[in-house]
Amino acid sequence: MRIITGIYKGRHFEIPRSFKARPTTDFAKENIFNVLTGYMDFEGATALDLFSGTGSISLELVSRGCAHVISVEMDRDHHRFIQECFRKLQGNNVQCSMFNVQCIRGDAFRFIKSCKQQFDFIFADPPYALKELPQIPGLIFEKGLLKPEGIFVFEHGKDHDFSSDPHFVEHRSYGSVNFSIFRTKETTSE
């Protein structure tokens, strides 16, 4: 697993073979982030990475300049691995003190339901076979987790179509990896 761009570009992290979760492929990650640069500037943004898995997206967000990143992962070993990756990044690097990362070990659904923060960017990559997967976009917007004009990227399998969601913006597919992009719509007063 490697960081695609930003201040930690090229850093590699070896994922234990025992892990069930695999990071979003470099190809898919690079392409979706290229698309996202047209939507937002990550510099100074607040971000939430749900179902973090290996932490690949959280690491990428920090490298791209997010000021605050919350990584939520339920699996104990994966959570520990994510923490270790951030410790390795910190090392002797003075720039690391410029970011604030919170690695939370917990259930993403519970986090969504109890979270009182809003974010500029949310990324969710639940297991594709998760039966509650189709409910996730609705929960994000129902709980008001995105700031005005915030962006939500949802990674999912090919069997799901979210184009009828009122917050849906576009769909991108890279091999077997599918992303649906959603945006908070600003309300206009009459």
Side-chain angles (χ1 to χ4, degrees):
M1 172 177 84
R2 74 180 172 97
I3 296 176
I4 302 295
T5 198
I7 60 175
Y8 301 111
K9 178 181 180 176
R11 290 291 301 265
H12 285 266
F13 301 90
E14 287 298 317
I15 299 168
R17 292 177 188 240
S18 61
F19 277 20
K20 295 176 214 143
R22 290 285 169 243
T24 301
T25 65
D26 286 351
F27 175 74
K29 184 168 60 170
E30 183 169 15
N31 280 289
I32 195 62
F33 273 99
N34 285 340
V35 169
L36 291 172
T37 58
Y39 285 101
M40 69 177 291
D41 181 7
F42 288 97
E43 191 70 37
T46 57
L48 172 62
D49 181 11
L50 295 167
F51 305 94
S52 297
T54 60
S56 171
I57 298 298
S58 293
L59 290 161
E60 193 71 37
L61 291 168
V62 165
S63 185
R64 290 169 184 261
C66 283
H68 184 85
V69 176
I70 295 178
S71 170
V72 181
E73 173 55 45
M74 188 161 59
D75 184 276
R76 182 191 68 223
D77 294 334
H78 292 199
H79 174 257
R80 191 178 306 132
F81 176 77
I82 295 167
Q83 289 178 311
E84 186 57 34
C85 288
F86 279 109
R87 279 199 249 341
K88 285 178 183 175
L89 267 192
Q90 205 156 12
N92 297 329
N93 194 332
V94 177
Q95 289 181 324
C96 217
S97 63
M98 294 168 40
F99 67 78
N100 183 5
V101 177
Q102 230 179 317
C103 296
I104 296 173
R105 182 174 170 231
D107 179 76
F109 289 100
R110 283 190 185 148
F111 181 86
I112 291 169
K113 290 175 183 173
S114 65
C115 183
K116 304 295 183 222
Q117 283 180 263
Q118 285 192 316
F119 302 90
D120 297 301
F121 179 76
I122 298 175
F123 187 92
D125 179 12
Y128 291 180
L130 186 71
K131 68 177 180 158
E132 298 91 353
L133 183 143
Q135 301 164 15
I136 294 170
L139 285 172
I140 296 293
F141 291 102
E142 179 187 313
K143 296 298 178 183
L145 297 185
L146 278 177
K147 291 180 180 178
E149 294 300 307
I151 297 293
F152 168 44
V153 175
F154 191 42
E155 185 175 332
H156 55 84
K158 64 180 180 180
D159 298 333
H160 295 282
D161 178 6
F162 296 96
S163 59
S164 62
D165 186 288
H167 300 283
F168 177 83
V169 177
E170 69 173 292
H171 172 264
R172 295 289 177 126
S173 177
Y174 305 103
S176 62
V177 181
N178 289 264
F179 298 102
S180 288
I181 301 172
F182 303 83
R183 174 172 243 163
T184 302
K185 309 282 193 253
E186 284 201 54
T187 55
T188 56
S189 55
E190 294 179 27

